[in-house]
Amino acid sequence: AQSVTQLGSHVSVSEGALVLLRCNYSSSVPPYLFWYVQYPNQGLQLLLKYTSAATLVKGINGFEAEFKKSETSFHLTKPSAHMSDAAEYFCAVSESQGAQKLVFGQGTRLTINP
Amino acid sequence: GAGVSQTPSNKVTEKGKYVELRCDPISGHTALYWYRQSLGQGPEFLIYFQGTGAADDSGLPNDRFFAVRPEGSVSTLKIQRTERGDSAVYLCASSLGGGADTQYFGPGTRLTVL
């Protein structure tokens, strides 16, 4: 069975500082990995996804994530935080073979301090 | 173009009642998913349709939950004899196909069972 662990349910950074949101997964088969963002009162929006091509994936709004198989990690980063980045972020995994469903982590709420 | 839409946006019902939640996927998307998001948690998979058939219903919690997609487009999630524990946001997503195709999420239906 697949699972996702997001370390830190709340992360707070200053505007302009590095954003690092952690995600570790377990999967018995090669995974597809996703980061979604949920702004207040809005639906989930895809930030980026890994599907076994390049291990460093660039997404929207300056975010990127690196797939590290040896560490079973897919951490999300952004060099310089903006106030508009305040939201809830979800990491998700699906199997590259068979099952199509996404298994989500519990989410990390990102707060940006002025 | 139009995204995934869900109706109603909010539904309040009494314990023991029957409810129906509707999802209109993006036109042309063959895959449709239902997830449930409880407060402070990530979305949890319920059921996945490929066309008209339920390809994976392993996430339905019990036989009070049922979903249909009779013409391969609109889907309805049906909950019988609602319980207070069913209170959550019910999310619908659609994708062009399965696999690594991006799942586009609707805004959700917030169900409250009194």
Side-chain angles (χ1 to χ4, degrees), chain A residues 10 14 17 25 31 34 54 60-61 71 87 91 93 99 113:
Chain A
H10 289 88
S14 298
Y25 70 92
F34 307 80
I60 61 171
N61 301 337
E71 298 177 9
C91 181
V93 63
N113 302 314

Side-chain angles (χ1 to χ4, degrees), chain B residues 98-110:
Chain B
D101 285 353
T102 297
Q103 293 184 28
Y104 295 89
F105 282 79
T109 293
R110 182 175 297 279

Side-chain angles (χ1 to χ4, degrees), chain A residues 36 49 51 90 100-102 105, chain B residues 35 42 45 48 98-100 102-103:
Chain A
Y36 279 85
K49 65 181 179 182
T51 58
F90 293 94
Q100 314 296 319
K101 64 185 180 185
L102 294 175
Chain B
Y35 294 84
F45 170 78
Y48 155 58
T102 297
Q103 293 184 28

Side-chain angles (χ1 to χ4, degrees), chain A residues 32 34 36 38 42-46 49-51 88 90 94-96 99-107, chain B residues 33 35 37 40-45 48 50 56 58-59 91 97-107:
Chain A
Y32 294 144
F34 307 80
Y36 279 85
Q38 190 171 37
Q42 294 187 30
L44 287 161
Q45 181 183 358
L46 181 72
K49 65 181 179 182
Y50 165 78
T51 58
E88 185 106 27
F90 293 94
S94 72
E95 293 181 354
S96 59
Q100 314 296 319
K101 64 185 180 185
L102 294 175
V103 175
F104 284 86
Q106 69 187 47
Chain B
Y33 308 78
Y35 294 84
Q37 187 174 18
Q41 303 294 320
E44 233 181 334
F45 170 78
Y48 155 58
Q50 185 60 256
D56 182 355
S58 62
L91 299 171
D101 285 353
T102 297
Q103 293 184 28
Y104 295 89
F105 282 79

